[in-house]
């Protein structure tokens, strides 16, 4: 019988901090595809794989962390969860809170969330609060809120989030047979780069600053090496390039419109200990990469996700990508969440014809 994927906590339970009496809250997240891009592999003279995190139940990688975080909140007896979000965290938190039978409050920067993500938070039953400020303001408020009220924080400063998210690195190694040479991913609040680095290190038998003693069960190493971590930010929201938090982040990739990343130290450690780098790309490069990935590889991702591909292409133009390397690019969220940005000023109204073959032939210029 075919193996039925049971979600990341069940699949990797030996490497996660799960207690016997935890009731696992899951939507069968993870197990996402690793797709080889012929287009990018050919151009770079390398093996380029795309880790398609838009295939998760709420359409982004956040579900990997949310299954773990929500499982622990449920065990703690707290009835309400809260998060700040640029959209995907709130969509995921709302869905998992619903599945767990918990209330969910989300604090969002007003006017800066893609329509699909707002729809998810609403339909999954969360209570929404819009703040006249950016994500960093929202995170500050939600941290204060959860300190003073009986409300559990499910942003990635909740360490269980990173524990769940590290499973994406496990899946990649399990699929490829070893770690890739280079791993490229977008960086916003910097939780994901920290989580991947932890996952790769644990699979190679090493610990990192963010490794949980509780989950470190000294399983045998699976990988013989770790990849270089190449993080990519949007030019207008690139605190790691500036070397310090920035005040007014701005980018078309609203998911990574973040100026003061919470996991700063872990991300710097991931970059430096892996001999990697964090670079930035323009909004124009992001939109170009989004269109190319959709048209030539067949994967429609949201703008923040396309930052990873844009960053990889920029490294290639600068001659920094070694020929023959095995490269994995994480695309973090589904393109359907933000169709307005993807379409831009493209004409979305095809010519209307009478219902006759000849007219279709003429319209298509055949
Ligand atoms: C599609 O939802 O921060 O560097 O509040 O949605 O781990 O923050 C989203 C982040 C990349 C950046 N790609 O990951 C939120 C939020 C997508 C994202 C990131 C986000 P981190």
């Amino acid at each position: 019988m075919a193996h039925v994927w049971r979600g990341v906590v069940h699949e990797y339970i030996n490497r996660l901090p799960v207690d016997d009496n935890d009731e696992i809250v899951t939507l069968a997240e993870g197990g996402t595809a690793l797709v080889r891009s012929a287009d990018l592999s050919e151009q770079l003279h390398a093996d380029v794989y795309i880790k398609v995190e838009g295939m998760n139940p709420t359409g982004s990688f956040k579900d990997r962390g949310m299954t773990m975080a929500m499982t622990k909140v449920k065990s703690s007896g707290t009835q309400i969860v809260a998060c700040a979000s640029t959209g995907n965290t709130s969509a995921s938190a709302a869905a998992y809170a619903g599945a767990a039978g918990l209330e969910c409050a989300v604090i969002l920067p007003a006017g800066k969330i893609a329509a699909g993500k707002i729809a998810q938070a609403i339909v999954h039953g969360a209570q929404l609060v819009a703040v006249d400020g950016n994500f960093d303001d929202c995170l500050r408020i939600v941290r204060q809120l959860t300190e003073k009220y009986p409300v559990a924080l499910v942003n990635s400063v909740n360490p269980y989030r990173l524990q769940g998210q590290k499973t994406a690195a496990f899946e990649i190694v399990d699929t490829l047979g070893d770690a890739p040479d280079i791993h490229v991913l977008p960086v916003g609040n910097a939780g994901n780069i920290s989580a991947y680095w932890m996952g790769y290190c644990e699979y190679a038998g090493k610990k990192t600053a963010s490794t949980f003693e509780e989950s470190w069960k000294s399983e045998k190493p699976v990988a013989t090496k770790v990849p270089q971590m190449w993080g990519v930010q949007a030019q207008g929201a690139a605190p790691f390039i500036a070397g310090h938090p920035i005040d007014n982040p701005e980018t078309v990739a609203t998911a990574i419109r973040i100026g003061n990343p919470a996991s700063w130290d872990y991300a710097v450690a991931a970059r430096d200990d892996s001999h990697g780098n964090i670079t930035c790309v323009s909004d124009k490069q992001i939109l170009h990469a989004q269109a190319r990935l959709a048209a030539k590889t067949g994967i429609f991702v949201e703008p923040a996700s396309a930052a990873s591909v844009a960053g990889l292409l920029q490294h290639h133009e600068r001659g920094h990508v070694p020929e023959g390397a095995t490269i994995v690019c994480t695309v973090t969220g589904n393109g359907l969440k933000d169709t307005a940005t993807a379409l831009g000023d493209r004409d979305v109204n095809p010519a209307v014809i009478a219902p006759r073959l000849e007219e279709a032939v003429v319209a298509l210029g055949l």
Side-chain angles (χ1 to χ4, degrees):
M1 205 182 107
H3 175 72
V4 176
W5 185 265
R6 298 160 297 167
V8 298
V9 178
H10 289 294
E11 295 294 333
Y12 293 108
I13 201 151
N14 289 342
R15 292 180 180 272
L16 290 168
V18 179
D19 296 322
D20 290 343
N21 46 2
D22 284 339
E23 196 184 311
I24 295 165
V25 180
T26 177
L27 297 172
E29 58 295 309
T32 57
L34 188 66
V35 177
R36 187 173 184 279
S37 169
D39 172 46
L40 295 171
S41 297
E42 211 170 284
Q43 173 158 3
L44 273 64
H45 303 287
D47 261 321
V48 182
Y49 293 89
I50 308 296
K51 182 67 169 162
V52 190
E53 290 292 275
M55 291 173 68
N56 278 296
T58 76
S60 87
F61 72 98
K62 303 286 181 183
D63 296 342
R64 295 179 182 277
M66 214 51 82
T67 178
M68 196 60 238
M70 211 63 76
T71 294
K72 289 296 179 179
V73 174
K74 182 148 187 168
S75 295
S76 76
T78 304
Q79 293 297 313
I80 309 172
V81 300
C83 64
S85 184
T86 57
N88 281 323
T89 298
S90 61
S92 184
Y96 282 79
L102 305 173
E103 298 294 316
C104 179
V106 302
I107 316 270
L108 310 166
K112 295 293 181 181
I113 310 291
K117 301 174 188 178
I118 292 269
Q120 288 180 288
I122 292 170
V123 175
H124 287 304
Q127 237 188 310
L128 277 59
V129 177
V131 172
D132 179 15
N134 59 34
F135 170 84
D136 306 297
D137 298 312
C138 296
L139 186 57
R140 177 174 43 79
I141 292 168
V142 84
R143 279 188 201 252
Q144 293 164 347
L145 182 80
T146 54
E147 274 163 23
K148 296 196 180 118
Y149 295 86
V151 177
L153 182 64
V154 293
N155 280 103
S156 58
V157 288
N158 175 330
Y160 291 111
R161 280 277 312 278
L162 300 194
Q163 288 293 314
Q165 285 175 215
K166 76 184 180 185
T167 60
F170 296 166
E171 289 177 19
I172 289 164
V173 175
D174 288 341
T175 304
L176 295 178
D178 206 341
D181 301 311
I182 296 164
H183 188 108
V184 193
L185 81 175
V187 174
N189 211 24
N192 214 24
I193 190 172
S194 310
Y196 267 94
W197 179 236
M198 174 167 48
Y200 280 125
C201 284
E202 288 188 15
Y203 245 25
K206 306 177 205 286
K207 289 188 191 187
T208 68
S210 55
T211 300
F212 246 47
E213 280 308 320
E214 208 186 328
S215 68
W216 184 256
K217 295 185 181 146
S218 300
E219 296 286 317
K220 284 206 193 83
V222 178
T224 66
K225 58 180 184 181
V226 292
Q228 289 185 12
M229 300 301 298
W230 291 11
V232 186
Q233 300 213 278
Q235 216 164 63
F240 286 104
I241 312 305
H244 53 77
I246 61 163
D247 280 338
N248 296 303
E250 210 44 83
T251 167
V252 71
T254 51
I256 51 173
R257 188 175 168 271
I258 295 172
N260 186 12
S263 296
W264 183 282
D265 293 342
Y266 289 159
V268 166
R271 179 193 67 191
D272 296 346
D273 295 348
S274 76
H275 309 288
N277 54 65
I278 299 179
T279 55
C280 68
V281 291
S282 68
D283 283 0
K284 197 173 154 202
Q285 287 172 289
I286 288 172
L287 295 174
H288 171 80
Q290 180 188 37
R292 175 171 175 171
L293 194 65
K296 302 248 173 88
T297 299
I299 301 171
F300 181 22
V301 304
E302 62 171 290
S305 309
S308 63
V309 174
L312 179 61
L313 288 169
Q314 180 171 268
H315 279 292
H316 172 65
E317 279 157 25
R318 293 175 178 173
H320 295 165
V321 179
E323 281 205 8
T326 299
I327 301 167
V328 174
C329 244
T330 296
V331 290
T332 41
N334 197 303
L336 294 172
K337 287 169 175 276
D338 184 6
T339 55
T341 303
L343 288 168
D345 54 10
R346 290 198 224 196
D347 184 7
V348 293
N349 297 306
V352 178
I353 58 165
R356 279 193 302 275
L357 170 65
E358 312 79 69
E359 295 224 15
V361 169
V362 170
L364 291 169
L366 294 174

